[in-house]
Amino acid sequence: MFTRVLLVSVPQVLRSVALLLLPISFIALIAWATAGSATGNMDDPLRAGLWIWLAAHHIPFSLTLSPAGISGLLSYLPIGALIFPIFAIRSGLSRTLDNLNDTSLTALARVLFSFWYTLVATAISYFSATESVTPIWYLTPAIVGPLALLISMSVGRRAPLTQPILYSSRIIALLLGFSSIILGVSLLLNLATVKYLTQVLQPGIFGGFLLLFLNILYLPNFAVATLSYISGAGFAVGSETFIAPWSYRSSEIPAIPLLGALPTGTLPWALLGIVFIVTAGALLTSWTISLSSKILLQSFFIASAIFLILAALSGGQLLTQSMGSVGVSIWQAGIAVIGELAIGVALAIYLPRISIGRGR
Protein backbone atom coordinates (compact mmCIF):
# COMPACT_ATOMS: atom_id res chain seq x y z
CA MET A 1 0.00 0.00 0.00
CA PHE A 2 2.75 2.44 0.99
CA THR A 3 4.80 1.56 -2.09
CA ARG A 4 1.82 2.01 -4.38
CA VAL A 5 1.05 5.48 -3.03
CA LEU A 6 4.72 6.40 -3.24
CA LEU A 7 5.04 5.33 -6.88
CA VAL A 8 1.92 7.26 -7.84
CA SER A 9 2.60 10.44 -5.84
CA VAL A 10 6.25 11.10 -6.74
CA PRO A 11 5.65 11.58 -10.52
CA GLN A 12 2.72 13.88 -9.73
CA VAL A 13 4.88 15.93 -7.37
CA LEU A 14 7.41 16.43 -10.16
CA ARG A 15 4.56 17.32 -12.52
CA SER A 16 3.24 19.90 -10.04
CA VAL A 17 6.68 21.48 -9.72
CA ALA A 18 7.12 21.56 -13.51
CA LEU A 19 3.60 22.92 -14.03
CA LEU A 20 4.65 26.16 -12.37
CA LEU A 21 8.41 26.14 -12.92
CA LEU A 22 8.44 25.74 -16.71
CA PRO A 23 6.26 28.81 -17.50
CA ILE A 24 8.24 30.86 -14.98
CA SER A 25 11.54 29.79 -16.54
CA PHE A 26 10.22 30.62 -20.00
CA ILE A 27 9.20 34.13 -18.90
CA ALA A 28 12.56 34.61 -17.16
CA LEU A 29 14.34 33.53 -20.34
CA ILE A 30 12.38 36.03 -22.45
CA ALA A 31 13.05 38.81 -19.95
CA TRP A 32 16.76 37.92 -19.93
CA ALA A 33 16.91 37.88 -23.73
CA THR A 34 15.02 41.19 -23.97
CA ALA A 35 17.16 42.98 -21.38
CA GLY A 36 20.42 41.56 -22.65
CA SER A 37 23.31 40.18 -20.61
CA ALA A 38 26.95 41.12 -20.29
CA THR A 39 28.01 37.50 -19.84
CA GLY A 40 25.51 35.66 -22.02
CA ASN A 41 25.36 32.94 -19.37
CA MET A 42 22.21 30.82 -19.64
CA ASP A 43 22.49 29.98 -15.94
CA ASP A 44 21.16 33.45 -15.09
CA PRO A 45 17.58 33.04 -16.39
CA LEU A 46 17.42 29.41 -15.25
CA ARG A 47 18.37 30.30 -11.69
CA ALA A 48 16.04 33.28 -11.81
CA GLY A 49 13.19 30.93 -12.71
CA LEU A 50 14.00 28.76 -9.69
CA TRP A 51 14.16 31.82 -7.43
CA ILE A 52 10.82 33.12 -8.66
CA TRP A 53 9.31 29.67 -8.06
CA LEU A 54 10.64 29.73 -4.51
CA ALA A 55 9.44 33.30 -3.96
CA ALA A 56 5.93 32.24 -4.98
CA HIS A 57 6.10 29.86 -1.99
CA HIS A 58 7.24 32.76 0.25
CA ILE A 59 10.78 31.48 0.74
CA PRO A 60 12.97 34.46 1.84
CA PHE A 61 16.37 35.20 0.26
CA SER A 62 19.67 36.36 1.69
CA LEU A 63 21.41 38.76 -0.69
CA THR A 64 24.87 40.21 -1.24
CA LEU A 65 24.39 43.32 -3.33
CA SER A 66 27.23 44.18 -5.74
CA PRO A 67 29.52 46.00 -6.25
CA ALA A 68 29.90 47.06 -2.61
CA GLY A 69 29.00 43.64 -1.26
CA ILE A 70 26.27 45.01 0.99
CA SER A 71 24.22 42.31 2.66
CA GLY A 72 20.45 42.36 2.37
CA LEU A 73 17.33 40.28 2.69
CA LEU A 74 14.29 39.77 0.49
CA SER A 75 11.36 38.64 2.60
CA TYR A 76 8.73 41.14 1.41
CA LEU A 77 7.00 38.78 -1.02
CA PRO A 78 3.58 38.96 -2.73
CA ILE A 79 0.72 37.13 -1.03
CA GLY A 80 -1.08 36.93 -4.37
CA ALA A 81 1.66 34.67 -5.77
CA LEU A 82 0.49 31.89 -3.45
CA ILE A 83 -2.36 31.20 -5.86
CA PHE A 84 0.09 29.46 -8.23
CA PRO A 85 1.44 26.87 -5.75
CA ILE A 86 -2.14 26.31 -4.61
CA PHE A 87 -3.20 25.54 -8.19
CA ALA A 88 -0.16 23.31 -8.87
CA ILE A 89 -0.47 21.29 -5.65
CA ARG A 90 -4.22 20.81 -6.03
CA SER A 91 -3.76 19.68 -9.62
CA GLY A 92 -1.04 17.16 -8.78
CA LEU A 93 -2.78 15.72 -5.75
CA SER A 94 -6.10 15.43 -7.61
CA ARG A 95 -4.35 13.33 -10.27
CA THR A 96 -2.71 11.24 -7.55
CA LEU A 97 -6.05 10.47 -5.91
CA ASP A 98 -7.66 9.74 -9.29
CA ASN A 99 -4.89 7.27 -10.16
CA LEU A 100 -5.15 5.54 -6.79
CA ASN A 101 -8.95 5.38 -6.97
CA ASP A 102 -9.10 4.25 -3.35
CA THR A 103 -10.56 6.58 -0.72
CA SER A 104 -8.87 4.61 2.07
CA LEU A 105 -5.49 5.83 0.76
CA THR A 106 -6.44 9.52 0.64
CA ALA A 107 -4.86 10.49 3.97
CA LEU A 108 -1.61 8.66 3.18
CA ALA A 109 -1.51 10.22 -0.31
CA ARG A 110 -1.87 13.70 1.16
CA VAL A 111 0.97 13.17 3.61
CA LEU A 112 3.34 11.59 1.08
CA PHE A 113 2.57 14.15 -1.61
CA SER A 114 3.19 17.02 0.83
CA PHE A 115 6.40 15.38 2.07
CA TRP A 116 7.89 14.88 -1.41
CA TYR A 117 6.78 18.31 -2.59
CA THR A 118 8.53 19.84 0.44
CA LEU A 119 11.63 17.73 -0.21
CA VAL A 120 11.85 18.88 -3.84
CA ALA A 121 11.33 22.52 -2.79
CA THR A 122 14.10 22.21 -0.19
CA ALA A 123 16.45 20.71 -2.78
CA ILE A 124 15.71 23.52 -5.24
CA SER A 125 16.28 26.07 -2.49
CA TYR A 126 19.62 24.53 -1.50
CA PHE A 127 21.12 23.90 -4.95
CA SER A 128 20.01 27.18 -6.58
CA ALA A 129 22.10 29.32 -4.22
CA THR A 130 24.86 31.56 -5.54
CA GLU A 131 27.33 33.90 -3.84
CA SER A 132 25.02 36.88 -4.34
CA VAL A 133 21.55 35.26 -3.97
CA THR A 134 20.96 32.55 -1.39
CA PRO A 135 17.48 31.16 -0.69
CA ILE A 136 17.19 30.49 3.04
CA TRP A 137 16.82 26.75 2.44
CA TYR A 138 16.50 25.66 6.07
CA LEU A 139 13.24 27.64 6.33
CA THR A 140 11.80 25.88 3.28
CA PRO A 141 10.48 22.78 5.11
CA ALA A 142 8.87 24.97 7.79
CA ILE A 143 7.08 27.07 5.14
CA VAL A 144 6.34 24.68 2.27
CA GLY A 145 5.48 21.65 4.43
CA PRO A 146 2.51 23.18 6.29
CA LEU A 147 1.46 25.03 3.12
CA ALA A 148 1.37 21.84 1.02
CA LEU A 149 -0.40 19.88 3.74
CA LEU A 150 -3.00 22.62 4.24
CA ILE A 151 -3.68 22.83 0.49
CA SER A 152 -3.91 19.04 0.27
CA MET A 153 -6.71 19.04 2.83
CA SER A 154 -8.91 20.84 0.29
CA VAL A 155 -8.55 18.03 -2.27
CA GLY A 156 -10.63 14.86 -2.37
CA ARG A 157 -13.29 13.89 0.13
CA ARG A 158 -13.20 16.21 3.08
CA ALA A 159 -15.43 17.32 5.89
CA PRO A 160 -17.51 20.42 5.16
CA LEU A 161 -16.19 23.66 6.58
CA THR A 162 -17.32 24.19 10.12
CA GLN A 163 -19.44 27.20 11.01
CA PRO A 164 -16.63 29.05 12.87
CA ILE A 165 -14.33 28.78 9.83
CA LEU A 166 -17.08 29.98 7.50
CA TYR A 167 -18.01 32.99 9.61
CA SER A 168 -14.43 33.97 10.43
CA SER A 169 -13.34 33.78 6.78
CA ARG A 170 -16.34 35.88 5.76
CA ILE A 171 -15.52 38.61 8.26
CA ILE A 172 -11.87 38.73 7.15
CA ALA A 173 -13.00 38.86 3.51
CA LEU A 174 -15.33 41.74 4.41
CA LEU A 175 -12.54 43.69 6.11
CA LEU A 176 -10.07 43.13 3.26
CA GLY A 177 -12.75 43.98 0.70
CA PHE A 178 -13.42 47.30 2.43
CA SER A 179 -9.70 48.12 2.66
CA SER A 180 -9.26 47.18 -1.02
CA ILE A 181 -11.96 49.69 -1.98
CA ILE A 182 -10.13 52.39 -0.03
CA LEU A 183 -6.85 51.37 -1.70
CA GLY A 184 -8.48 51.54 -5.14
CA VAL A 185 -9.90 55.02 -4.49
CA SER A 186 -6.51 56.20 -3.26
CA LEU A 187 -4.83 54.86 -6.42
CA LEU A 188 -7.34 56.70 -8.61
CA LEU A 189 -6.79 59.94 -6.71
CA ASN A 190 -3.02 59.61 -7.07
CA LEU A 191 -2.70 58.36 -10.65
CA ALA A 192 -0.12 61.03 -11.44
CA THR A 193 2.20 59.71 -8.71
CA VAL A 194 1.63 56.11 -9.83
CA LYS A 195 2.51 57.10 -13.40
CA TYR A 196 5.65 58.91 -12.24
CA LEU A 197 6.88 55.92 -10.22
CA THR A 198 6.33 53.69 -13.26
CA GLN A 199 8.27 56.04 -15.54
CA VAL A 200 11.17 56.14 -13.08
CA LEU A 201 11.59 52.38 -13.50
CA GLN A 202 11.51 52.60 -17.33
CA PRO A 203 10.41 48.97 -17.66
CA GLY A 204 9.82 48.92 -21.42
CA ILE A 205 6.91 47.10 -23.07
CA PHE A 206 7.60 43.54 -21.89
CA GLY A 207 8.91 44.74 -18.55
CA GLY A 208 5.82 46.91 -18.19
CA PHE A 209 3.55 43.87 -18.41
CA LEU A 210 5.68 42.03 -15.85
CA LEU A 211 5.64 45.08 -13.57
CA LEU A 212 1.84 45.30 -13.84
CA PHE A 213 1.53 41.58 -13.06
CA LEU A 214 3.85 41.91 -10.06
CA ASN A 215 1.87 44.84 -8.68
CA ILE A 216 -1.35 42.82 -9.02
CA LEU A 217 0.23 40.03 -6.97
CA TYR A 218 1.19 42.56 -4.29
CA LEU A 219 -2.36 43.93 -3.97
CA PRO A 220 -3.23 41.64 -1.00
CA ASN A 221 -0.14 42.96 0.84
CA PHE A 222 -1.33 46.51 0.33
CA ALA A 223 -4.91 45.59 1.30
CA VAL A 224 -3.62 44.32 4.66
CA ALA A 225 -1.52 47.49 5.08
CA THR A 226 -4.57 49.64 4.28
CA LEU A 227 -6.62 47.77 6.88
CA SER A 228 -3.86 48.36 9.43
CA TYR A 229 -3.79 52.04 8.43
CA ILE A 230 -7.50 52.68 8.96
CA SER A 231 -7.36 50.78 12.26
CA GLY A 232 -4.83 53.34 13.50
CA ALA A 233 -1.92 50.88 13.71
CA GLY A 234 -0.30 52.15 10.52
CA PHE A 235 2.57 50.55 8.60
CA ALA A 236 6.14 51.20 7.47
CA VAL A 237 7.86 51.61 4.11
CA GLY A 238 11.39 51.28 5.40
CA SER A 239 13.49 51.61 8.51
CA GLU A 240 12.59 54.55 10.76
CA THR A 241 9.38 55.25 8.82
CA PHE A 242 5.82 55.16 10.04
CA ILE A 243 2.62 56.02 8.19
CA ALA A 244 -0.67 56.24 10.08
CA PRO A 245 -3.68 58.59 10.08
CA TRP A 246 -2.29 60.40 13.12
CA SER A 247 1.43 60.29 12.27
CA TYR A 248 3.51 60.54 9.09
CA ARG A 249 7.25 59.87 9.13
CA SER A 250 8.71 59.10 5.72
CA SER A 251 11.15 61.11 3.62
CA GLU A 252 11.07 59.03 0.44
CA ILE A 253 9.45 55.91 -0.98
CA PRO A 254 10.81 53.14 -3.24
CA ALA A 255 9.82 53.17 -6.90
CA ILE A 256 6.91 50.74 -6.59
CA PRO A 257 3.86 52.04 -8.52
CA LEU A 258 1.37 50.85 -5.89
CA LEU A 259 3.09 53.07 -3.33
CA GLY A 260 1.70 56.03 -5.25
CA ALA A 261 -1.46 55.44 -3.21
CA LEU A 262 0.36 56.49 -0.02
CA PRO A 263 -0.89 59.61 1.77
CA THR A 264 1.46 62.57 1.84
CA GLY A 265 0.70 63.55 5.43
CA THR A 266 -1.57 62.84 8.37
CA LEU A 267 -5.25 62.10 7.68
CA PRO A 268 -7.08 61.96 11.04
CA TRP A 269 -10.45 61.38 9.35
CA ALA A 270 -9.17 57.99 8.14
CA LEU A 271 -9.59 56.80 11.73
CA LEU A 272 -13.29 56.56 10.89
CA GLY A 273 -12.29 53.16 9.53
CA ILE A 274 -12.23 52.02 13.14
CA VAL A 275 -16.03 52.36 13.12
CA PHE A 276 -16.22 49.88 10.25
CA ILE A 277 -13.95 47.36 12.01
CA VAL A 278 -16.00 47.64 15.22
CA THR A 279 -19.17 47.20 13.15
CA ALA A 280 -17.64 44.08 11.57
CA GLY A 281 -17.15 42.66 15.07
CA ALA A 282 -20.80 43.37 15.87
CA LEU A 283 -21.81 41.75 12.58
CA LEU A 284 -19.83 38.63 13.45
CA THR A 285 -21.75 38.50 16.73
CA SER A 286 -25.11 38.81 14.99
CA TRP A 287 -24.20 35.92 12.69
CA THR A 288 -23.10 33.54 15.43
CA ILE A 289 -24.63 34.45 18.80
CA SER A 290 -27.98 32.92 17.86
CA LEU A 291 -26.18 29.60 17.31
CA SER A 292 -24.11 29.56 20.50
CA SER A 293 -21.55 31.62 22.38
CA LYS A 294 -19.02 28.84 21.71
CA ILE A 295 -19.30 29.35 17.94
CA LEU A 296 -18.93 33.11 18.44
CA LEU A 297 -15.69 32.66 20.42
CA GLN A 298 -14.32 30.12 17.96
CA SER A 299 -15.15 32.38 15.01
CA PHE A 300 -13.50 35.36 16.70
CA PHE A 301 -10.29 33.46 17.53
CA ILE A 302 -10.05 31.90 14.05
CA ALA A 303 -10.57 35.33 12.43
CA SER A 304 -7.83 36.70 14.69
CA ALA A 305 -5.48 33.87 13.69
CA ILE A 306 -6.18 34.42 9.97
CA PHE A 307 -5.45 38.12 10.27
CA LEU A 308 -2.20 37.52 12.15
CA ILE A 309 -1.05 35.07 9.46
CA LEU A 310 -1.89 37.59 6.73
CA ALA A 311 -0.08 40.33 8.66
CA ALA A 312 3.00 38.10 8.95
CA LEU A 313 2.93 37.27 5.22
CA SER A 314 2.34 40.87 4.12
CA GLY A 315 5.50 42.41 5.56
CA GLY A 316 9.24 41.89 5.49
CA GLN A 317 12.51 43.36 4.27
CA LEU A 318 12.99 44.67 0.74
CA LEU A 319 16.62 44.11 -0.32
CA THR A 320 18.52 46.65 1.80
CA GLN A 321 18.78 47.53 5.49
CA SER A 322 17.16 50.90 4.77
CA MET A 323 14.08 48.96 3.65
CA GLY A 324 14.34 46.60 6.60
CA SER A 325 10.75 47.06 7.68
CA VAL A 326 8.12 47.16 4.94
CA GLY A 327 4.46 46.50 5.70
CA VAL A 328 2.57 46.18 8.95
CA SER A 329 3.85 45.42 12.42
CA ILE A 330 2.29 42.11 13.43
CA TRP A 331 1.80 43.03 17.06
CA GLN A 332 0.63 46.62 16.44
CA ALA A 333 -1.81 45.67 13.69
CA GLY A 334 -2.90 42.61 15.68
CA ILE A 335 -3.68 44.62 18.80
CA ALA A 336 -5.53 47.29 16.82
CA VAL A 337 -7.63 45.18 14.42
CA ILE A 338 -8.34 42.30 16.80
CA GLY A 339 -9.01 44.71 19.66
CA GLU A 340 -11.49 46.72 17.58
CA LEU A 341 -13.23 43.53 16.48
CA ALA A 342 -13.45 42.53 20.15
CA ILE A 343 -15.01 45.90 21.01
CA GLY A 344 -17.65 45.30 18.32
CA VAL A 345 -18.36 41.84 19.74
CA ALA A 346 -18.67 43.20 23.27
CA LEU A 347 -20.94 46.06 22.21
CA ALA A 348 -23.23 43.70 20.29
CA ILE A 349 -23.51 41.44 23.33
CA TYR A 350 -23.87 43.94 26.17
CA LEU A 351 -25.66 46.97 24.66
CA PRO A 352 -28.94 45.08 24.16
CA ARG A 353 -28.70 43.81 27.75
CA ILE A 354 -28.16 47.34 29.06
CA SER A 355 -31.13 48.70 27.10
CA ILE A 356 -33.34 45.85 28.35
CA GLY A 357 -32.23 46.50 31.92
CA ARG A 358 -33.08 50.18 31.62
CA GLY A 359 -36.46 49.32 30.10
CA ARG A 360 -37.32 47.39 33.22
Side-chain angles (χ1 to χ4, degrees), residues 12 15-16 19 85-96 113 155:
Q12 294 303 325
R15 175 186 174 276
S16 295
L19 186 65
I86 290 173
F87 169 76
I89 292 172
R90 282 182 56 87
S91 175
L93 185 55
S94 294
R95 284 176 171 265
T96 300
F113 187 96
V155 181

Side-chain angles (χ1 to χ4, degrees), residues 20-42:
L20 180 57
L21 184 57
L22 290 179
I24 289 176
S25 299
F26 178 71
I27 293 172
L29 182 61
I30 294 177
W32 173 81
T34 304
S37 173
T39 62
N41 190 346
M42 283 290 291

Side-chain angles (χ1 to χ4, degrees), residues 6 13 109-120 145 148-149:
L6 184 65
V13 166
R110 287 171 176 164
V111 172
L112 285 179
F113 187 96
S114 301
F115 171 78
W116 284 105
Y117 191 92
T118 303
L119 190 64
V120 171
L149 193 58

Side-chain angles (χ1 to χ4, degrees), residues 142-163:
I143 296 173
V144 177
L147 175 67
L149 193 58
L150 183 63
I151 296 170
S152 70
M153 299 301 292
S154 66
V155 181
R157 285 190 177 183
R158 57 191 185 278
L161 292 177
T162 62
Q163 289 175 321

Side-chain angles (χ1 to χ4, degrees), residues 249-265:
R249 188 171 70 248
S250 178
S251 58
E252 58 185 14
I253 60 174
I256 300 176
L258 278 177
L259 291 178
L262 290 177
T264 56

Side-chain angles (χ1 to χ4, degrees), residues 166-189:
L166 283 173
Y167 290 126
S168 59
S169 58
R170 286 176 185 175
I171 213 67
I172 293 297
L174 179 66
L175 290 173
L176 293 179
F178 180 72
S179 63
S180 296
I181 293 173
I182 296 176
L183 175 62
V185 172
S186 183
L187 283 170
L188 289 175
L189 294 176

Side-chain angles (χ1 to χ4, degrees), residues 183 185-203 211 215 222 243 248 250-265:
L183 175 62
V185 172
S186 183
L187 283 170
L188 289 175
L189 294 176
N190 295 279
L191 275 179
T193 305
V194 174
K195 181 180 178 181
Y196 172 75
L197 291 173
T198 305
Q199 290 174 340
V200 167
L201 294 173
Q202 296 180 341
L211 180 63
N215 276 267
F222 283 81
I243 297 175
Y248 187 90
S250 178
S251 58
E252 58 185 14
I253 60 174
I256 300 176
L258 278 177
L259 291 178
L262 290 177
T264 56

Side-chain angles (χ1 to χ4, degrees), residues 41-330:
N41 190 346
M42 283 290 291
D43 288 347
D44 296 339
L46 295 179
R47 287 184 184 273
L50 295 174
W51 294 333
I52 295 172
W53 185 88
L54 291 170
H57 293 74
H58 269 248
I59 306 302
F61 294 81
S62 176
L63 308 173
T64 302
L65 305 176
S66 58
I70 302 173
S71 61
L73 182 69
L74 177 60
S75 58
Y76 183 65
L77 301 167
I79 297 177
L82 286 172
I83 190 173
F84 301 111
I86 290 173
F87 169 76
I89 292 172
R90 282 182 56 87
S91 175
L93 185 55
S94 294
R95 284 176 171 265
T96 300
L97 297 179
D98 289 342
N99 291 337
L100 291 173
N101 196 25
D102 187 347
T103 55
S104 65
L105 300 177
T106 299
L108 180 61
R110 287 171 176 164
V111 172
L112 285 179
F113 187 96
S114 301
F115 171 78
W116 284 105
Y117 191 92
T118 303
L119 190 64
V120 171
T122 305
I124 291 174
S125 180
Y126 181 80
F127 289 107
S128 65
T130 64
E131 292 183 0
S132 56
V133 181
T134 305
I136 305 180
W137 65 269
Y138 52 84
L139 292 179
T140 303
I143 296 173
V144 177
L147 175 67
L149 193 58
L150 183 63
I151 296 170
S152 70
M153 299 301 292
S154 66
V155 181
R157 285 190 177 183
R158 57 191 185 278
L161 292 177
T162 62
Q163 289 175 321
I165 294 177
L166 283 173
Y167 290 126
S168 59
S169 58
R170 286 176 185 175
I171 213 67
I172 293 297
L174 179 66
L175 290 173
L176 293 179
F178 180 72
S179 63
S180 296
I181 293 173
I182 296 176
L183 175 62
V185 172
S186 183
L187 283 170
L188 289 175
L189 294 176
N190 295 279
L191 275 179
T193 305
V194 174
K195 181 180 178 181
Y196 172 75
L197 291 173
T198 305
Q199 290 174 340
V200 167
L201 294 173
Q202 296 180 341
I205 297 177
F206 184 74
F209 282 112
L210 293 179
L211 180 63
L212 173 63
F213 185 62
L214 183 62
N215 276 267
I216 291 173
L217 295 180
Y218 268 110
L219 281 175
N221 300 59
F222 283 81
V224 174
T226 303
L227 180 59
S228 178
Y229 179 82
I230 63 175
S231 74
F235 58 91
V237 287
S239 300
E240 300 182 358
T241 67
F242 183 67
I243 297 175
W246 49 274
S247 176
Y248 187 90
R249 188 171 70 248
S250 178
S251 58
E252 58 185 14
I253 60 174
I256 300 176
L258 278 177
L259 291 178
L262 290 177
T264 56
T266 58
L267 295 173
W269 58 265
L271 290 172
L272 290 173
I274 295 175
V275 177
F276 182 84
I277 300 175
V278 171
T279 303
L283 183 61
L284 178 63
T285 305
S286 68
W287 287 344
T288 57
I289 195 64
S290 60
L291 300 172
S292 71
S293 58
K294 180 180 179 181
I295 291 179
L296 170 59
L297 288 174
Q298 289 174 342
S299 301
F300 174 77
F301 284 116
I302 292 174
S304 301
I306 293 173
F307 176 75
L308 290 175
I309 292 172
L310 290 174
L313 291 174
S314 68
Q317 181 171 323
L318 188 60
L319 303 180
T320 64
Q321 291 293 335
S322 62
M323 296 300 292
S325 178
V326 181
V328 305
S329 165
I330 300 175

